[in-house]
Amino acid sequence: MSLVIGEISYTNILPIFYYVNREELIQRGCSFVPKVPSELNRAMKAGTVDIGGISSFAYAENKDDYKLLPNLSVSSPKSVGSIFLFSKVPIHKLDNKVVALTSSSATSVNLLKIILGSFLELNVDYVTMDPDYNKMIQQHDACLLIGDDAIRTCWAQKEDIYRYDLGKLWNDQTGYPMTYAVVAARSESLLKNERLVSDLYEQMVKSKGRSKRDHYKGMITSIQRQLGGSATFWHHYFAGLNHDLSARHIEGLLRYYDYAYNMGLIDSPVNNLSLWQGATDWKSV
């Protein structure tokens, strides 16, 4: 048995993975592959990654081939704190302007298109670039950054740039939480490795619960060594995130898919989510 596990290389998904027993899982044939969301999306579609965190948007594009692991996601009830539009002008003045999109994202890129095109009814042109804030903002009117790239940019941001949190903009318009990433598995991988996936799933849910019970303390210390930032900043950041996939999350995600389909961002409607039925119920852990 072997299982290739894709791990989004941003801090926002870390609570799901932090306390997973990697050594044990590696001995059992697992391997962990850290990549930004757009790279994991492509690897899952190609079959080189079996299971892991992917963009919610990528699930919609491949819904017939994937199953979602219940009760796991990267979401925010309101502000997300790491997905930002940086703009030289107020957001409502971006009509007929050019916005640079990070090449690292799928969900957030299309969420921005929904916000600007559907919510604000603006006509905006887009270009996709590597996530380099200085180049993006110098060459264009606004730019979208996600994850740790967005966090580091906020720390160094100049005062004359407007900043908009996409989680807040989504919630202000819809009242729903926004789910940026889900934990998905290729259907054939589940058939071949159901016991191993079940054990991995148990560890992920336990890791999520332990991280929250510990108030993310050990995890934050590790993050500070790698990225810097104060403990206060990181505690506030994780307090604004959520890693569940409740009925309310699913309602919000289906609303997002409705907007995406109506704007022609996905080819077919998504009316429900296909959840893996082999999962043991670890909600109370």
Side-chain angles (χ1 to χ4, degrees):
M1 290 191 301
S2 64
L3 196 67
V4 181
I5 303 164
E7 185 175 1
I8 295 173
S9 55
Y10 292 141
T11 55
N12 57 20
I13 202 170
L14 198 53
I16 293 175
F17 283 92
Y18 190 70
Y19 292 107
V20 165
N21 190 334
R22 295 167 186 266
E23 183 177 343
E24 178 215 346
L25 290 167
I26 289 170
Q27 289 177 351
R28 296 176 62 187
C30 294
S31 58
F32 290 83
V33 179
K35 294 179 181 291
V36 298
S38 58
E39 292 172 338
L40 280 181
N41 299 341
R42 290 192 290 270
M44 278 278 290
K45 184 173 183 179
T48 57
V49 167
D50 297 300
I51 185 172
I54 61 167
S55 298
S56 300
F57 187 82
Y59 169 76
E61 294 182 306
N62 302 277
K63 61 184 185 297
D64 295 334
D65 299 321
Y66 297 168
K67 297 286 187 181
L68 295 184
L69 271 61
N71 206 27
L72 294 172
S73 78
V74 177
S75 305
S76 68
K78 294 183 180 179
S79 298
V80 61
S82 57
I83 301 176
F84 291 107
L85 174 71
F86 300 93
S87 179
K88 296 175 182 176
V89 299
I91 191 170
H92 63 275
K93 293 187 177 181
L94 283 173
D95 199 41
N96 297 315
K97 304 289 187 182
V98 181
V99 175
L101 304 173
T102 175
S103 59
S104 302
S105 172
T107 301
S108 302
V109 160
N110 289 288
L111 176 59
L112 180 63
K113 292 178 179 180
I114 290 167
I115 290 169
L116 297 181
S118 185
F119 296 174
L120 299 178
E121 298 182 343
L122 302 178
N123 181 29
V124 179
D125 290 324
Y126 299 99
V127 297
T128 301
M129 300 179 64
D130 291 336
D132 183 322
Y133 171 78
N134 289 327
K135 288 183 179 179
M136 296 168 89
I137 204 68
Q138 285 171 7
Q139 297 175 13
H140 303 289
D141 301 291
C143 67
L144 173 70
L145 288 173
I146 70 168
D148 300 341
D149 298 318
I151 290 172
R152 284 189 289 257
T153 298
C154 287
W155 290 343
Q157 183 192 343
K158 296 179 180 179
E159 294 182 359
D160 59 346
I161 296 293
Y162 295 90
R163 185 175 76 201
Y164 299 94
D165 186 300
L166 266 61
K168 183 178 187 306
L169 295 177
W170 167 262
N171 180 261
D172 285 348
Q173 178 70 27
T174 67
Y176 283 104
M178 181 61 208
T179 298
Y180 311 95
V182 290
V183 180
R186 294 181 59 84
S187 297
E188 67 265 27
S189 300
L190 287 171
L191 292 173
K192 294 177 183 177
N193 299 286
E194 187 164 13
R195 182 66 253 177
L196 191 53
V197 171
S198 181
D199 292 345
L200 171 65
Y201 174 72
E202 174 188 343
Q203 290 198 34
M204 285 178 165
V205 176
K206 285 184 174 180
S207 179
K208 178 187 73 168
R210 180 177 174 184
S211 297
K212 189 172 183 179
R213 288 194 304 273
D214 292 348
H215 304 287
Y216 310 102
K217 289 180 181 178
M219 191 178 70
I220 286 173
T221 300
S222 176
I223 292 170
Q224 286 182 284
R225 286 196 293 266
Q226 296 179 33
L227 294 177
S230 68
T232 299
F233 169 83
W234 289 110
H235 279 292
H236 178 75
Y237 174 60
F238 283 108
L241 295 179
N242 183 273
H243 296 89
D244 302 328
L245 191 60
S246 68
R248 185 70 175 169
H249 289 82
I250 291 172
E251 289 176 12
L253 196 48
L254 292 176
R255 176 71 65 90
Y256 168 79
Y257 292 147
D258 282 344
Y259 281 114
Y261 176 67
N262 290 334
M263 290 184 66
L265 302 175
I266 54 177
D267 294 332
S268 59
V270 181
N271 299 316
N272 55 71
L273 304 185
S274 181
L275 298 176
W276 180 43
Q277 299 300 312
T280 305
D281 186 355
W282 292 96
K283 294 180 181 181
S284 61
V285 173

